[in-house]
Every structure is written in structure tokens, then in C-alpha cells.
């Protein structure tokens, strides 16, 4: 599943950053981008591809912006939302989104596993819907500081309010180093 290789003698794994595509991202969610098909709705000066992805929601959706700053490409913890999907859209520059498999969405004590981490490059105008339970960190800038938009249902998660301390370290305190 993962393209990681274990580094002998330390507590890190490597993950190669890959361009986002629907097939590779399928275990983690859906990719949002302009389809390679003609738009089903057109008008004078506009083309529309409607319902290219759906969010499964029952409450109002809150939106936010993240200014992500250039930093070491190392992930040591992740969060997950077992009761909600999350939309993320790259706005002005490329971002990298690390994600990891949720092994048991019903386990409140689960920790993310570095062996399941994959890192995806998302170009401006592309987006993703992260499935319920998928582990993820904040996105990283691919090259320079940038901004991305996220949207998520405004409701408490099944195992509590992630606003308190959502970040869960990897099993055995390992880390993932991203590489191009």
C-alpha cells in the first residue's frame, strides 16, 4: 500500500511525494479536479461540472484557511476525524498532504502507523475529500509558504473534541520524512 522504506538504525521512515491522482488516493478519499470530460452544463462564458465529488454531511460546514510555512518535511503525529469528512483545496501554490490508513475507526486509542503513510502533491485548483477516520497532518508547502482552504462539519467528533489536542504521535514515536 505504501511507498515507504524503513531507515535502519533510527526512528524514521521515508515517503516519496507523489502527484495526486484518483487511483492512488482512493484508500484515503476523493480527488477534486476539472474532469477530462465535456461539461454537462454550459452557458455564455461558463462551463460547469456539477457534483464531481460529494461531502457526507448532516451539520453546517465550517471553512478555514491555513497559511502553511516552509519547514522540514518531517511528520511526527497526525489527527483523524472518525465522524466527519474533510475537504481541502490548494489555493495559490502546491501543497503536500501526508495521509495514513485508519485500521479501526471504532478504536479510540488507535495510533497512526508510519508504514501506511503516503504523501500527495496537490496543485492549485485541485482538492481532496479526506475520508472519515483517515489519519492526516496539516499540509506542507511543496516549495514556498502558501495557503489552502479546508472545510469540515461543525460538530464534535465521536471520540471528543479534536480542538483540545488532536495530534497523536506515530506508533513507537516514529517519524516520516518526505522526499521528492
Amino acid at each position: 500500500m505504501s511507498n515507504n522504506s524503513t531507515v535502519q538504525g533510527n526512528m524514521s521512515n521515508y515517503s516519496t511525494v507523489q502527484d495526486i491522482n484518483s487511483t492512488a488516493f482512493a484508500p484515503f478519499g476523493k480527488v477534486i479536479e476539472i474532469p477530462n470530460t465535456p461539461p454537462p452544463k454550459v452557458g455564455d462564458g461558463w462551463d460547469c461540472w456539477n457534483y464531481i465529488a460529494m461531502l457526507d454531511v448532516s451539520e453546517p460546514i465550517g471553512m478555514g484557511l491555513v497559511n502553511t510555512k516552509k519547514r522540514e518535511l518531517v511528520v511526527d503525529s497526525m489527527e483523524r476525524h472518525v465522524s466527519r469528512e474533510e475537504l481541502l483545496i490548494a489555493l495559490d501554490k502546491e501543497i503536500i498532504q501526508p495521509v495514513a490508513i485508519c485500521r479501526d475507526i471504532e478504536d479510540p486509542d488507535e495510533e497512526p502507523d508510519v508504514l501506511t503513510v503516503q504523501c500527495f502533491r496537490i496543485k492549485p485548483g485541485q482538492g481532496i475529500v479526506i475520508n472519515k477516520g483517515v489519519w492526516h497532518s496539516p499540509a506542507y508547502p511543496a516549495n514556498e509558504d502558501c495557503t489552502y482552504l479546508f472545510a469540515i462539519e461543525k460538530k464534535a467528533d465521536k471520540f471528543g473534541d479534536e480542538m483540545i489536542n488532536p495530534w497523536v504521535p506515530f506508533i513507537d514515536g516514529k517519524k516520516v520524512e518526505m522526499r521528492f
Side-chain angles (χ1 to χ4, degrees):
M1 160 100 15
S2 178
N3 58 349
N4 294 335
S5 59
T6 302
V7 177
Q8 301 298 323
N10 68 22
M11 298 294 282
S12 293
N13 280 37
Y14 295 124
S15 182
T16 302
V17 177
Q18 57 187 307
D19 289 338
I20 194 88
N21 69 69
S22 295
T23 302
F25 195 73
F28 309 103
K30 300 168 273 220
V31 175
I32 300 169
E33 60 188 342
I34 296 175
N36 291 330
T37 59
K41 295 171 73 176
V42 295
D44 188 16
W46 58 272
D47 295 331
C48 177
W49 292 264
N50 50 331
Y51 306 116
I52 58 173
M54 302 297 288
L55 279 172
D56 179 20
V57 298
S58 60
E59 300 289 332
I61 296 174
M63 289 177 235
L65 295 170
V66 176
N67 287 324
T68 185
K69 298 176 181 169
K70 192 163 176 74
R71 59 197 184 275
E72 186 177 21
L73 296 176
V74 175
V75 182
D76 62 4
S77 60
M78 292 185 154
E79 70 171 351
R80 66 179 179 157
H81 314 289
V82 300
S83 304
R84 305 171 285 172
E85 296 178 325
E86 183 172 352
L87 169 69
L88 186 144
I89 299 173
L91 295 178
D92 57 347
K93 296 181 179 84
E94 291 181 351
I95 59 174
I96 302 167
Q97 181 59 62
V99 290
I101 294 292
C102 170
R103 296 189 189 282
D104 183 358
I105 199 166
E106 297 300 325
D107 180 359
D109 298 318
E110 180 176 293
E111 299 170 308
D113 184 350
V114 295
L115 297 178
T116 70
V117 172
Q118 292 191 44
C119 302
F120 294 94
R121 181 193 330 251
I122 303 169
K123 296 177 181 168
Q126 290 181 314
I128 56 174
V129 176
I130 301 171
N131 286 342
K132 294 176 184 177
V134 168
W135 290 100
H136 58 283
S137 75
Y140 287 67
N143 299 302
E144 56 187 301
D145 296 358
C146 59
T147 303
Y148 65 91
L149 175 127
F150 71 93
I152 191 165
E153 273 184 286
K154 189 175 182 189
K155 68 178 182 182
D157 212 43
K158 180 177 180 177
F159 300 131
D161 185 354
E162 86 274 354
M163 298 303 285
I164 296 169
N165 184 15
W167 307 110
V168 178
F170 286 109
I171 297 169
D172 297 328
K174 293 185 178 182
K175 297 179 182 182
V176 172
E177 297 178 35
M178 294 177 268
R179 293 189 170 171
F180 290 94

